[in-house]
């Protein structure tokens, strides 16, 4: 269930039935010349939405504020001061909790957010809250092995075959394959 698509009545019911909210954290940044600036948050939100169907939960609206200070030189990148970013995310968590969710799962859809989210999660121990934050870190042996079987290249990183393939699956209309150098 997507938070932004619910009415107040269905939202209240969803909170009572699930008690779980997923916050997929992405960022707005350059992803080569062929992928949209919102690649991370678009794919993260899509994956969180798919997960919420399998395990009943509510997905917070697309969240594109994250750590991307090193890419400020690229057009379209959006970043907040570190202290403001921390305060915004903490306030969002508190608001999710105020709305009745007892379990908040943070899914990181942008590699650059990793250290920030770990620190944010650690800081939750500073004071007692009516909710618990969980930082989901994907892993697994079977999934990883199957994933590697279908890859055509060994070079992986930003806007690589993996990110491009995931984007093609989730948002084909936004991928400009004709701009990839051959």
């Amino acid at each position: 269930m997507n938070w932004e698509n619910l009415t107040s009545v269905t939202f209240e019911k969803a909170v009572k039935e699930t008690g779980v909210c997923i916050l997929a954290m992405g960022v707005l940044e350059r992803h080569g010349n062929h992928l949209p600036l919102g690649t991370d948050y678009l794919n993260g939100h899509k994956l969180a939405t798919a997960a919420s169907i399998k395990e009943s939960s509510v997905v917070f609206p697309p969240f594109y504020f994250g750590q991307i200070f090193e890419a400020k030189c690229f057009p379209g990148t959006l970043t907040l001061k570190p202290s403001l970013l921390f305060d915004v995310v903490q306030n969002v968590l508190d608001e999710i909790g105020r709305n009745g969710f007892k379990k908040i799962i943070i899914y990181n859809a942008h590699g650059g957010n990793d250290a920030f989210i770990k620190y944010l999660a650690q800081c939750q121990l500073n004071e007692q809250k009516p909710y618990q934050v969980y930082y989901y870190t994907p892993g697994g042996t079977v999934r990883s092995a199957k994933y590697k079987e279908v890859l055509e290249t060994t070079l992986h990183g930003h806007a690589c075959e993996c990110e491009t393939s995931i984007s093609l699956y989730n948002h084909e209309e936004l991928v400009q394959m004709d701009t990839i150098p051959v």
Side-chain angles (χ1 to χ4, degrees):
M1 288 176 272
N2 294 98
W3 182 311
E4 67 273 20
N5 296 336
L6 300 171
T7 65
S8 281
V9 173
T10 56
F11 179 86
E12 186 175 36
K13 183 179 177 195
V15 171
K16 287 178 184 168
E17 289 177 359
T18 71
V20 179
C21 183
I22 303 172
L23 171 62
M25 289 185 60
V27 76
L28 285 169
E29 67 166 328
R30 180 177 186 262
H31 282 84
N33 294 330
H34 65 295
L35 295 176
L37 296 167
T39 292
D40 294 335
Y41 87 80
L42 289 166
N43 287 332
H45 192 264
K46 186 84 167 194
L47 182 64
T49 299
S52 77
I53 293 167
K54 290 190 174 269
E55 293 291 332
S56 189
S57 54
V58 175
V59 180
F60 192 80
F63 195 84
Y64 47 82
F65 296 111
Q67 190 295 117
I68 190 60
F69 313 119
E70 65 278 8
K72 288 167 56 171
C73 59
F74 295 110
T77 299
L78 185 97
T79 188
L80 302 176
K81 293 178 184 177
S83 58
L84 178 59
L85 176 61
F86 185 92
D87 288 346
V88 166
V89 177
Q90 184 60 65
N91 192 250
V92 166
L93 294 174
D94 289 344
E95 282 297 293
I96 292 170
R98 184 187 61 76
N99 272 281
F101 291 102
K102 301 296 181 206
K103 183 177 189 178
I104 303 170
I105 301 169
I106 298 177
Y107 170 66
N108 183 19
H110 166 65
N113 285 338
D114 189 50
F116 169 74
I117 296 172
K118 286 178 182 174
Y119 177 69
L120 178 77
Q122 182 183 22
C123 288
Q124 300 310 299
L125 300 172
N126 182 50
E127 62 182 275
Q128 192 166 351
K129 306 265 185 184
Y131 60 86
Q132 182 65 48
V133 171
Y134 298 84
Y135 177 27
Y136 171 73
T137 52
T141 53
V142 175
R143 182 178 173 265
S144 297
K146 296 252 184 225
Y147 190 69
K148 289 178 183 174
E149 285 177 19
V150 299
L151 298 177
E152 295 178 7
T153 61
T154 56
L155 292 173
H156 300 287
H158 204 246
C160 67
E161 172 191 6
C162 300
E163 238 177 345
T164 300
S165 297
I166 292 166
S167 296
L168 281 167
Y169 180 80
N170 289 330
H171 305 282
E172 182 178 7
E173 72 283 2
L174 300 177
V175 180
Q176 298 177 20
M177 293 297 289
D178 58 329
T179 63
I180 298 175
V182 181

Short mmCIF file of all heavy atoms in Angstrom, two decimals, residues 79-109:
data_model
loop_
_atom_site.label_atom_id
_atom_site.label_comp_id
_atom_site.label_asym_id
_atom_site.label_seq_id
_atom_site.Cartn_x
_atom_site.Cartn_y
_atom_site.Cartn_z
N THR A 79 20.91 18.21 -2.80
CA THR A 79 21.46 17.77 -1.52
C THR A 79 21.12 18.80 -0.44
O THR A 79 20.89 19.97 -0.74
CB THR A 79 22.98 17.54 -1.63
OG1 THR A 79 23.44 16.94 -0.42
CG2 THR A 79 23.73 18.82 -1.91
N LEU A 80 21.05 18.33 0.77
CA LEU A 80 20.79 19.20 1.92
C LEU A 80 22.02 19.22 2.80
O LEU A 80 22.80 18.27 2.81
CB LEU A 80 19.60 18.66 2.73
CG LEU A 80 18.27 18.50 2.00
CD1 LEU A 80 17.24 17.86 2.94
CD2 LEU A 80 17.76 19.82 1.47
N LYS A 81 22.17 20.29 3.59
CA LYS A 81 23.26 20.33 4.56
C LYS A 81 23.15 19.11 5.47
O LYS A 81 22.03 18.68 5.80
CB LYS A 81 23.17 21.60 5.40
CG LYS A 81 23.42 22.86 4.64
CD LYS A 81 23.24 24.07 5.55
CE LYS A 81 23.39 25.35 4.77
NZ LYS A 81 23.16 26.53 5.60
N PRO A 82 24.29 18.54 5.90
CA PRO A 82 24.25 17.32 6.72
C PRO A 82 23.33 17.41 7.94
O PRO A 82 22.54 16.50 8.19
CB PRO A 82 25.71 17.12 7.14
CG PRO A 82 26.49 17.80 6.08
CD PRO A 82 25.66 18.97 5.63
N SER A 83 23.40 18.51 8.69
CA SER A 83 22.56 18.62 9.89
C SER A 83 21.08 18.73 9.51
O SER A 83 20.22 18.17 10.20
CB SER A 83 22.99 19.81 10.74
OG SER A 83 22.92 21.01 9.98
N LEU A 84 20.78 19.43 8.43
CA LEU A 84 19.39 19.55 7.98
C LEU A 84 18.87 18.20 7.49
O LEU A 84 17.74 17.82 7.82
CB LEU A 84 19.26 20.60 6.87
CG LEU A 84 17.86 20.78 6.29
CD1 LEU A 84 16.86 21.17 7.38
CD2 LEU A 84 17.88 21.81 5.17
N LEU A 85 19.69 17.47 6.75
CA LEU A 85 19.28 16.15 6.27
C LEU A 85 18.94 15.25 7.45
O LEU A 85 17.90 14.59 7.46
CB LEU A 85 20.39 15.53 5.42
CG LEU A 85 20.14 14.11 4.93
CD1 LEU A 85 18.90 14.04 4.04
CD2 LEU A 85 21.37 13.58 4.19
N PHE A 86 19.81 15.23 8.45
CA PHE A 86 19.56 14.40 9.64
C PHE A 86 18.23 14.81 10.29
O PHE A 86 17.39 13.96 10.61
CB PHE A 86 20.71 14.53 10.64
CG PHE A 86 20.54 13.61 11.82
CD1 PHE A 86 21.10 12.35 11.82
CD2 PHE A 86 19.81 14.01 12.94
CE1 PHE A 86 20.94 11.50 12.89
CE2 PHE A 86 19.64 13.16 14.02
CZ PHE A 86 20.20 11.90 14.00
N ASP A 87 18.04 16.12 10.48
CA ASP A 87 16.82 16.61 11.13
C ASP A 87 15.57 16.28 10.32
O ASP A 87 14.54 15.91 10.87
CB ASP A 87 16.90 18.11 11.38
CG ASP A 87 17.87 18.48 12.50
OD1 ASP A 87 18.28 17.58 13.27
OD2 ASP A 87 18.21 19.67 12.59
N VAL A 88 15.65 16.41 8.99
CA VAL A 88 14.50 16.11 8.14
C VAL A 88 14.13 14.63 8.25
O VAL A 88 12.96 14.29 8.48
CB VAL A 88 14.77 16.50 6.66
CG1 VAL A 88 13.74 15.87 5.73
CG2 VAL A 88 14.78 18.01 6.49
N VAL A 89 15.12 13.76 8.11
CA VAL A 89 14.83 12.32 8.17
C VAL A 89 14.33 11.94 9.56
O VAL A 89 13.35 11.18 9.69
CB VAL A 89 16.05 11.48 7.75
CG1 VAL A 89 15.73 9.99 7.88
CG2 VAL A 89 16.46 11.80 6.31
N GLN A 90 14.96 12.46 10.60
CA GLN A 90 14.50 12.15 11.96
C GLN A 90 13.07 12.62 12.17
O GLN A 90 12.25 11.93 12.77
CB GLN A 90 15.42 12.77 13.01
CG GLN A 90 15.06 12.41 14.44
CD GLN A 90 15.11 10.92 14.68
OE1 GLN A 90 16.17 10.31 14.60
NE2 GLN A 90 13.97 10.31 14.98
N ASN A 91 12.76 13.81 11.67
CA ASN A 91 11.40 14.33 11.80
C ASN A 91 10.40 13.48 11.03
O ASN A 91 9.29 13.24 11.51
CB ASN A 91 11.35 15.79 11.35
CG ASN A 91 10.06 16.46 11.74
OD1 ASN A 91 9.23 16.76 10.89
ND2 ASN A 91 9.87 16.69 13.02
N VAL A 92 10.79 13.01 9.86
CA VAL A 92 9.92 12.11 9.08
C VAL A 92 9.66 10.83 9.86
O VAL A 92 8.52 10.36 9.96
CB VAL A 92 10.51 11.83 7.68
CG1 VAL A 92 9.82 10.65 7.00
CG2 VAL A 92 10.43 13.07 6.80
N LEU A 93 10.72 10.26 10.45
CA LEU A 93 10.54 9.05 11.27
C LEU A 93 9.60 9.32 12.43
O LEU A 93 8.70 8.50 12.71
CB LEU A 93 11.90 8.56 11.79
CG LEU A 93 12.89 8.06 10.75
CD1 LEU A 93 14.24 7.75 11.41
CD2 LEU A 93 12.36 6.85 10.01
N ASP A 94 9.78 10.44 13.10
CA ASP A 94 8.91 10.79 14.22
C ASP A 94 7.46 10.96 13.77
O ASP A 94 6.53 10.56 14.48
CB ASP A 94 9.39 12.06 14.92
CG ASP A 94 10.69 11.86 15.69
OD1 ASP A 94 11.07 10.70 15.96
OD2 ASP A 94 11.33 12.89 16.01
N GLU A 95 7.25 11.53 12.59
CA GLU A 95 5.90 11.72 12.07
C GLU A 95 5.26 10.39 11.67
O GLU A 95 4.08 10.16 11.88
CB GLU A 95 5.90 12.69 10.88
CG GLU A 95 6.01 14.13 11.29
CD GLU A 95 4.81 14.56 12.13
OE1 GLU A 95 3.68 14.61 11.60
OE2 GLU A 95 5.00 14.85 13.33
N ILE A 96 6.07 9.49 11.11
CA ILE A 96 5.56 8.15 10.79
C ILE A 96 5.13 7.47 12.09
O ILE A 96 4.05 6.89 12.16
CB ILE A 96 6.63 7.33 10.04
CG1 ILE A 96 6.88 7.91 8.64
CG2 ILE A 96 6.21 5.86 9.94
CD1 ILE A 96 8.09 7.31 7.92
N GLY A 97 5.95 7.59 13.12
CA GLY A 97 5.61 7.03 14.43
C GLY A 97 4.39 7.69 15.03
O GLY A 97 3.53 7.02 15.61
N ARG A 98 4.29 9.02 14.91
CA ARG A 98 3.13 9.74 15.46
C ARG A 98 1.84 9.28 14.80
O ARG A 98 0.77 9.26 15.42
CB ARG A 98 3.31 11.25 15.26
CG ARG A 98 2.19 12.09 15.90
CD ARG A 98 2.29 13.55 15.55
NE ARG A 98 2.18 13.82 14.13
CZ ARG A 98 1.04 13.79 13.43
NH1 ARG A 98 -0.10 13.48 14.01
NH2 ARG A 98 1.05 14.06 12.14
N ASN A 99 1.95 8.86 13.56
CA ASN A 99 0.77 8.37 12.85
C ASN A 99 0.40 6.94 13.23
O ASN A 99 -0.53 6.38 12.68
CB ASN A 99 0.99 8.48 11.34
CG ASN A 99 0.56 9.83 10.82
OD1 ASN A 99 -0.62 10.08 10.63
ND2 ASN A 99 1.52 10.72 10.60
N GLY A 100 1.15 6.35 14.17
CA GLY A 100 0.76 5.06 14.73
C GLY A 100 1.59 3.86 14.32
O GLY A 100 1.37 2.76 14.82
N PHE A 101 2.56 4.04 13.43
CA PHE A 101 3.38 2.89 13.04
C PHE A 101 4.36 2.56 14.15
O PHE A 101 5.01 3.44 14.71
CB PHE A 101 4.13 3.19 11.73
CG PHE A 101 3.23 3.27 10.54
CD1 PHE A 101 2.85 4.50 10.03
CD2 PHE A 101 2.74 2.11 9.94
CE1 PHE A 101 2.01 4.58 8.92
CE2 PHE A 101 1.89 2.18 8.85
CZ PHE A 101 1.53 3.42 8.34
N LYS A 102 4.46 1.29 14.47
CA LYS A 102 5.35 0.82 15.54
C LYS A 102 6.68 0.32 14.97
O LYS A 102 7.67 0.24 15.69
CB LYS A 102 4.70 -0.31 16.34
CG LYS A 102 3.38 0.08 16.98
CD LYS A 102 3.59 1.16 18.00
CE LYS A 102 2.28 1.56 18.66
NZ LYS A 102 2.29 2.92 19.15
N LYS A 103 6.68 -0.03 13.70
CA LYS A 103 7.87 -0.58 13.06
C LYS A 103 8.11 0.21 11.78
O LYS A 103 7.24 0.26 10.90
CB LYS A 103 7.66 -2.06 12.75
CG LYS A 103 8.85 -2.77 12.16
CD LYS A 103 8.51 -4.24 11.97
CE LYS A 103 9.71 -5.05 11.57
NZ LYS A 103 9.37 -6.49 11.44
N ILE A 104 9.29 0.83 11.66
CA ILE A 104 9.65 1.58 10.47
C ILE A 104 10.89 0.91 9.87
O ILE A 104 11.93 0.81 10.52
CB ILE A 104 9.95 3.06 10.78
CG1 ILE A 104 8.74 3.71 11.47
CG2 ILE A 104 10.32 3.80 9.49
CD1 ILE A 104 9.03 5.11 12.03
N ILE A 105 10.75 0.46 8.64
CA ILE A 105 11.85 -0.19 7.94
C ILE A 105 12.44 0.81 6.95
O ILE A 105 11.72 1.32 6.09
CB ILE A 105 11.38 -1.46 7.19
CG1 ILE A 105 10.77 -2.45 8.18
CG2 ILE A 105 12.55 -2.08 6.41
CD1 ILE A 105 10.06 -3.62 7.52
N ILE A 106 13.72 1.09 7.10
CA ILE A 106 14.39 1.96 6.13
C ILE A 106 15.05 1.07 5.10
O ILE A 106 15.85 0.18 5.44
CB ILE A 106 15.44 2.86 6.80
CG1 ILE A 106 14.78 3.80 7.82
CG2 ILE A 106 16.19 3.67 5.73
CD1 ILE A 106 15.76 4.68 8.58
N TYR A 107 14.70 1.30 3.84
CA TYR A 107 15.34 0.59 2.73
C TYR A 107 16.21 1.60 1.98
O TYR A 107 15.71 2.62 1.51
CB TYR A 107 14.30 -0.03 1.79
CG TYR A 107 14.93 -0.54 0.52
CD1 TYR A 107 15.83 -1.60 0.57
CD2 TYR A 107 14.68 0.05 -0.70
CE1 TYR A 107 16.45 -2.05 -0.59
CE2 TYR A 107 15.28 -0.40 -1.85
CZ TYR A 107 16.17 -1.46 -1.79
OH TYR A 107 16.79 -1.88 -2.93
N ASN A 108 17.48 1.33 1.89
CA ASN A 108 18.41 2.24 1.23
C ASN A 108 18.47 1.93 -0.26
O ASN A 108 18.92 0.87 -0.66
CB ASN A 108 19.81 2.11 1.84
CG ASN A 108 20.77 3.10 1.22
OD1 ASN A 108 20.37 4.08 0.61
ND2 ASN A 108 22.04 2.84 1.40
N ALA A 109 18.05 2.88 -1.08
CA ALA A 109 18.06 2.72 -2.53
C ALA A 109 19.21 3.49 -3.17
O ALA A 109 19.27 3.62 -4.38
CB ALA A 109 16.72 3.16 -3.10
#
